[in-house]
Amino acid sequence: RSGGWRDYVAGTAWAMIEAGLPVGGFRGLLASDLPQGAGLSSSAALELASALALSGGDDVAVDRLTLARIAQRAENEYVGVQCGLMDQFASANGVAGAALLLDCRSLTSRAIPLQLDDVALVVIHSGSERRLEASAYNERRAQCDAAVAVIAKERDGIRSLRDVTAAMLTEIDKSLDAVLARRARHVVEENARVLEAADAFEAGDHSTVGRLLGESHASLRDLYEVSSPELDALVEIAGAVPGVFGSRLTGAGFGGCTVTLVRREAIPELTAVVEERYPARTGLMSRLFEVTPSAGAGRVDGWR
């Protein structure tokens, strides 16, 4: 390990070799039009692109789920971040025009059409690089595991926070210390929001999606405690713009970006308001750009 971005490539090669996959060499250029340190799953994207390049292209003789799990192992055991599978799965299995509803227990997924004709997803970079260190992310993961251990002593059949309901958490709240209780409540309530948001997107109910985005950000700020003053400012400023349905931080937090659901016609006003008010509150410059749900990693022929 070098402690730099090369670890993601080297770790992917290591994990592929550990899985018995053939690995070759490649001469490559790493290029991106996203802000550096923005917390937009760049590590997972690099891992999947590296896996395909190391295998000679997109004809790798392994299914995309296995490839995602290999990339996750690289990040867990080589880089040292105890991430889940979500980012790698999305980079491997993305569907154009859709979100993916991923069940991390069964490892099944379903494409959720986002119906973005009249609305758009806008990412706003805070100008503050994501200050995520492995220790901070791993600490949250350890706290959730500790909460599960306590709850499992009180209730049968508890394997993860996935098995815990909000009502159950209220009943045994006194068994958890304050920090573990906050972490657990965020995860339990966020799981419910994810399912509700999937239904709302499929129904074209963008108002409900917006409300859930706002509730999610408040929970990430107050219960999971991974937001920052810059991200909070962006969410508050965007939420006051007519045509904005809702906004939340995206990624692991600690700086980076927000994602905002907004009527397409309101994007110019959103841009103007953020550019006017955000620097005055933070002393930083933001960057706004619309994002489009796209297919997963693959070969692009004829690119220049």
Side-chain angles (χ1 to χ4, degrees), residues 101-124:
L101 179 61
L102 171 63
D103 185 324
C104 288
R105 177 166 287 173
S106 66
L107 297 182
T108 57
S109 68
R110 180 164 62 90
I112 307 294
L114 295 187
Q115 304 186 45
L116 297 178
D117 293 335
D118 299 322
V119 300
L121 289 169
V122 172
V123 166
I124 309 178

Side-chain angles (χ1 to χ4, degrees), residues 3-284:
W5 67 265
R6 294 175 182 82
D7 288 344
Y8 295 102
V9 182
T12 300
W14 166 80
M16 291 176 71
I17 292 169
E18 287 284 300
L21 296 178
V23 172
F26 69 91
R27 186 183 300 271
L29 170 69
L30 175 61
S32 174
D33 57 3
L34 295 176
Q36 291 189 23
L40 295 173
S41 304
S42 56
S43 59
L46 179 56
E47 288 156 5
L48 266 297
S50 298
L52 295 181
L54 287 162
S55 64
D58 56 0
D59 296 324
V60 61
V62 62
D63 66 272
R64 288 300 182 98
L65 173 58
T66 300
L67 206 60
R69 297 182 76 175
I70 287 171
Q72 180 195 17
R73 185 183 181 193
E75 195 149 347
N76 289 170
E77 299 183 28
Y78 194 93
V79 178
V81 176
Q82 298 306 308
C83 65
L85 187 63
M86 181 181 70
D87 289 357
Q88 289 81 2
F89 189 92
S91 287
N93 298 285
V95 176
L100 293 177
L101 179 61
L102 171 63
D103 185 324
C104 288
R105 177 166 287 173
S106 66
L107 297 182
T108 57
S109 68
R110 180 164 62 90
I112 307 294
L114 295 187
Q115 304 186 45
L116 297 178
D117 293 335
D118 299 322
V119 300
L121 289 169
V122 172
V123 166
I124 309 178
H125 184 223
S126 65
S128 173
E129 288 194 3
R130 184 188 63 168
R131 296 180 292 272
L132 172 64
E133 298 179 356
S135 58
Y137 186 98
N138 293 346
E139 179 186 45
R140 296 301 187 279
R141 178 68 178 267
Q143 288 167 339
C144 289
D145 289 343
V148 170
V150 173
I151 297 169
K153 293 179 181 178
E154 302 273 344
R155 295 289 190 277
D156 294 332
I158 303 299
R159 295 163 50 197
S160 73
L161 291 174
R162 159 79 168 269
D163 303 312
V164 179
T165 65
M168 185 188 304
L169 201 56
T170 299
E171 291 174 3
I172 64 173
D173 189 65
K174 293 181 180 179
S175 299
L176 296 167
D177 74 32
V179 172
L180 296 189
R182 290 198 298 272
R183 305 297 186 255
R185 185 162 297 280
H186 165 72
V187 173
V188 169
E189 294 178 350
E190 187 78 346
N191 281 344
R193 281 189 288 267
V194 167
L195 297 175
E196 188 177 355
D199 290 340
F201 263 125
E202 288 189 308
D205 183 358
H206 296 120
S207 294
T208 294
V209 175
R211 172 179 60 79
L212 293 168
L213 288 171
E215 292 175 359
S216 177
H217 182 81
S219 182
L220 287 162
R221 180 193 65 213
D222 301 334
L223 300 181
Y224 215 57
E225 298 178 279
V226 294
S227 189
S228 68
E230 296 86 1
L231 294 172
D232 294 342
L234 283 177
V235 168
E236 182 180 335
I237 292 168
V241 176
V244 168
F245 292 99
S247 185
R248 76 186 284 275
L249 70 84
T250 188
F254 303 101
C257 297
T258 61
V259 61
T260 300
L261 184 67
V262 56
R263 293 191 187 280
R264 197 171 296 279
E265 63 191 27
I267 293 177
E269 183 175 358
L270 172 64
T271 302
V273 170
V274 170
E275 289 180 348
E276 175 189 356
R277 299 180 184 175
Y278 181 69
R281 286 186 55 170
T282 66
L284 298 172

